[in-house]
């Protein structure tokens, strides 16, 4: 498989894990509305438990589907589950870290943090998945370059579908 397509195929669970909370979002904020010692919300209302677990499940499921489509890419179902879960957890944790940072610097919920919104989730997803199945440096660089565009396209798509109130 072309190494660049292989990189996209590899990262797909993280993409779906990052995108699906927009659809699965729930009511209970992950910080339960609590504030940090700086008087601002810890994470904000943009992070709900249902979104988090929905994203984790969706991302892991995508890897299982990918396993049945390209079994030799993963080698085993167990590997697909491990990699899918690690990529999804990494993506969602990266998104939480991004929200935490945005709240600390006083950005309101939904405020665009260029760079952080596009790379945060990808970097943590790649870090968590690295020990399970590593990509080449070139493939990682390719993903860092192409993800902002896919992120941009997906957010506009979600905005047009009415899933997001902002196209970013
Ligand atoms: C403009 C360019 C160059 C590409 C555009 C690609 C595009 C239009 C993708 C849309 C894919 C899609 C159908 C998305 C689902 C809709 C959805 C729920 C989007 C919600 O996005 C919200 C956002 C979360 O916000 P936050 O980041 O601020 O927390 O998540 C951003 C989403 C992503 C970063 C990834 C979205 C991509 C997918 C869900 C899978 C699509 C896969 C590809 C485009 C790569 C194809 C791979 C192969 C190997 C064929
Ligand atoms: N763990 C998560 C992540 C996202 N979402 C949902 O997906 C939407 C888009 O995610 P994102 O853009 O990351 O959240 P923002 O609203 O921009 O909040 P923040 O400023 O904290 O990023 C959120 O509004 C929220 O409805 C969720 O419910 N749970
Ligand atoms: Mg956002």
């Amino acid at each position: 498989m072309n190494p660049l397509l292989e990189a996209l195929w590899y990262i797909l669970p993280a993409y779906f894990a990052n995108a699906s909370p927009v659809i699965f979002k729930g009511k209970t904020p992950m910080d339960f509305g609590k504030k940090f010692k700086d008087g601002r919300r810890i994470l904000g209302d943009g992070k709900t438990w249902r979104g988090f677990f929905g994203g984790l499940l969706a991302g892991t499921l995508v890897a299982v589907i990918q396993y049945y489509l390209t079994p030799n890419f993963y080698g085993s179902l167990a590997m697909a589950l491990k990699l899918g879960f690690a990529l999804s957890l990494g993506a969602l944790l990266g998104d939480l870290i991004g929200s935490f940072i945005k709240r600390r610097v006083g950005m309101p919920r939904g405020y665009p943090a260029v760079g952080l919104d596009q790379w945060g989730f990808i970097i943590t997803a790649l870090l968590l998945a690295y020990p399970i199945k590593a990509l080449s440096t070139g493939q990682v660089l390719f993903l860092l370059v192409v993800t902002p565009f896919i992120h941009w396209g997906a957010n506009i798509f979600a905005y047009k579908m009415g899933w997001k109130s902002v196209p970013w």
Side-chain angles (χ1 to χ4, degrees):
M1 190 195 266
N2 164 306
L4 300 186
L5 257 188
E6 186 193 21
L8 274 174
W9 194 241
Y10 171 100
I11 205 66
L12 220 47
Y15 278 175
F16 275 90
N18 187 67
S20 50
V22 173
I23 299 170
F24 293 126
K25 62 192 166 209
K27 290 254 176 310
T28 318
M30 293 180 83
D31 61 5
F32 298 106
K34 289 195 178 14
K35 289 193 169 30
F36 197 59
K37 54 180 185 269
D38 60 7
R40 297 191 189 105
R41 285 286 295 276
I42 301 170
L43 295 170
D45 289 330
K47 303 297 145 203
T48 65
W49 286 102
R50 222 174 69 182
F52 183 84
F53 287 111
L56 202 51
L57 201 66
T60 308
L61 268 182
V62 163
V64 171
I65 295 165
Q66 288 179 279
Y67 168 70
Y68 288 106
L69 294 173
T70 55
N72 49 11
F73 182 79
Y74 292 95
S76 69
L77 180 57
M79 179 56 156
L81 280 165
K82 262 194 303 191
L83 191 61
F85 186 80
L87 283 165
S88 302
L89 185 61
L92 289 158
L93 289 180
D95 189 48
L96 292 187
I97 295 165
S99 293
F100 182 78
I101 294 169
K102 291 202 266 188
R103 295 303 89 75
R104 296 298 60 77
V105 299
M107 283 184 187
R109 178 244 167 122
Y111 195 85
V114 177
L116 191 57
D117 281 345
Q118 289 76 17
W119 282 301
F121 79 95
I122 274 290
I123 290 166
T124 38
L126 289 168
L127 282 176
L128 242 70
Y130 181 78
I132 298 168
K133 180 180 168 89
L135 288 178
S136 71
T137 316
Q139 287 176 308
V140 170
L141 288 177
F142 165 72
L143 286 178
L144 290 179
V145 167
V146 76
T147 296
F149 293 98
I150 291 179
H151 184 276
W152 173 70
N155 271 289
I156 292 175
F157 180 87
Y159 175 69
K160 290 239 181 312
M161 298 294 279
W163 296 334
K164 273 191 103 170
S165 52
V166 289
W168 54 73

